[in-house]
Amino acid sequence: MEAKQTSGCAIALGSLNRAIRARDLLASAALFSKIIKADGKLSNQGCFYALEVPCASLKKALDLLRRAGIKGQVLPGRK
Amino acid sequence: MIYLDHAATTFPKPKEVVEAVSECLSVWGGNPGRGSHRLSLEAAERIYAAREEAAAFFDCPDPLRVVFTPGATYSINLALKGLLNYGDHLLCSNLEHNAVLRPLERLRKEGRITYGVFCAYDPDRPLSAEEICKNIEQKIKRNTRMVICTHASNICSATLPIEAIGSLCRKRGILFCVDAAQSAGRIPLSVTRMKIDALCLPGHKGLLGPAGCGALILGKGILPKPLVEGGSGYRSLLPDMPVELPERCEAGTLPVPAIAGLCAGLEVVKRIGVEAIEKKETELTEALKARLVQVPGLKLYAPEQKGGVLLFSSDQRPATEIGEELNARGFCVRTGFHCAALAHKTLRTPQGGAVRVSPGYGNTIEEISSLADAIEEILHA
């Protein structure tokens, strides 16, 4: 669960299982992220988990996740 | 005490399992997927690692298709009640355990499904995989939606040709559900190669974990309705269970210590090797068979089948008395009907049932020899 660099941007993923899977996928591409709980930050969803990534790597992270079939949504107000 | 009831539960558990459970209970066992504090996250990481371990072990490409359950019986109930619809027809084998038959009976009595039984074992002659598949094909109806069967019988060493049945089901567009209560960790299993849509597993038998957890491993695109609803740790403002696996089918807090033990058990099984376990248990059973076949009045069931379970009865003493006598001499075996009335009927065991001996990897040939001595003594007394 340790992140090597974190700041700024976050990608909402849903359950903690999905966040772990996404984090491992990014780590395998040397993109380090941190799992955060971001309750209430996505409208009417309640509890969910997100990955915090360096803003400079946000696009790369989204591309990697999309290619792996993992749906992620950029959290508003996290830049 | 010599424990020879490993088909009921494996005992004693490996020290790695005991240590993993203890560490979970004392060091890292928060509630996974619920909080953001260190112990909740640590527990979630461990549970996810267990999913990955189980998925790899059973050749499932996606760890999120591993649903943890309280055990194989729950997994079977979830597969049946979560996947079948009103009006569906289903087929099961003539070797099924009550874990399959009782939910089927309930669904049938409620008018939700109908089901038929195909012959997977004939005590009069061995059946080939082709013959068993033919028996299934003959019973398939227009509305047959699922075939469910045990992989390995819990009362004898008969196994079903899972790969051939899986291929048949895939070809006919029928869901294939496997009760692997006796085979998981004892016989190689591949969800992918065997075309299994729902694999039902106990944690506490061949996988060497503690009682209290099992798993349902689902094929691609298989999404059961939940058996129970409740907290899932996310999307908590929504009234319904999440659509995604595994959370959809994992309402409430998971049995984290048991899953930790199961993960450690899987690692032990991997280290020893399923084939080595199967070979050792078969050798022990065959050694016992070689002795018991010489005992007058003793009947062995399915003696032509090789595996880790041996069932016998005697025309001199009821099974329950033999079990009591063995218990008094320090042997743990199981007598009666083993929650498998249909399988006993198939094997034609007598009123009062039979005695089941199921050695484990840790038993020795000397222990089997002393059991055979004790059985001879009891039946000649």
Side-chain angles (χ1 to χ4, degrees), chain B residues 1-68:
Chain B
M1 187 63 76
I2 296 174
Y3 186 80
L4 293 160
D5 195 16
H6 292 268
T9 192
T10 46
F11 181 85
K13 302 302 178 187
K15 68 173 173 33
E16 293 90 334
V17 172
V18 177
E19 286 167 3
V21 173
S22 173
E23 189 192 62
C24 168
L25 290 170
S26 57
V27 180
W28 56 263
N31 197 335
R34 299 298 194 266
S36 57
H37 58 79
R38 192 176 64 79
L39 291 185
S40 174
L41 295 174
E42 171 79 14
E45 297 275 3
R46 303 276 189 145
I47 298 298
Y48 190 80
R51 284 188 214 284
E52 290 186 307
E53 192 81 36
F57 190 87
F58 293 102
D59 192 22
C60 170
D62 184 355
L64 298 188
R65 285 196 243 142
V66 176
V67 174
F68 285 120

Side-chain angles (χ1 to χ4, degrees), chain A:
Chain A
M1 197 64 66
E2 290 302 314
K4 292 196 176 168
Q5 332 161 29
T6 55
S7 68
C9 292
I11 304 167
L13 288 150
S15 72
L16 186 47
N17 284 308
R18 276 176 170 67
I20 293 172
R21 180 159 77 166
R23 182 209 51 197
D24 291 351
L25 178 89
L26 297 185
S28 68
L31 202 166
F32 296 99
S33 58
K34 180 186 177 184
I35 294 172
I36 57 171
K37 201 162 188 277
D39 306 342
K41 294 200 172 59
L42 212 55
S43 61
N44 301 324
Q45 295 278 311
C47 304
F48 69 94
Y49 291 83
L51 280 188
E52 193 175 65
V53 296
C55 284
S57 304
L58 181 63
K59 186 176 178 306
K60 183 184 173 189
L62 288 168
D63 284 348
L64 285 166
L65 295 176
R66 191 172 53 247
R67 265 183 262 147
I70 298 173
K71 288 177 189 164
Q73 186 178 342
V74 179
L75 268 183
R78 290 282 304 183
K79 289 188 179 176

Side-chain angles (χ1 to χ4, degrees), chain B residues 148-166:
Chain B
I148 183 169
C149 63
T150 184
H151 183 192
S153 167
N154 71 311
I155 64 165
C156 66
S157 287
T159 57
L160 269 67
I162 293 302
E163 195 163 351
I165 298 173

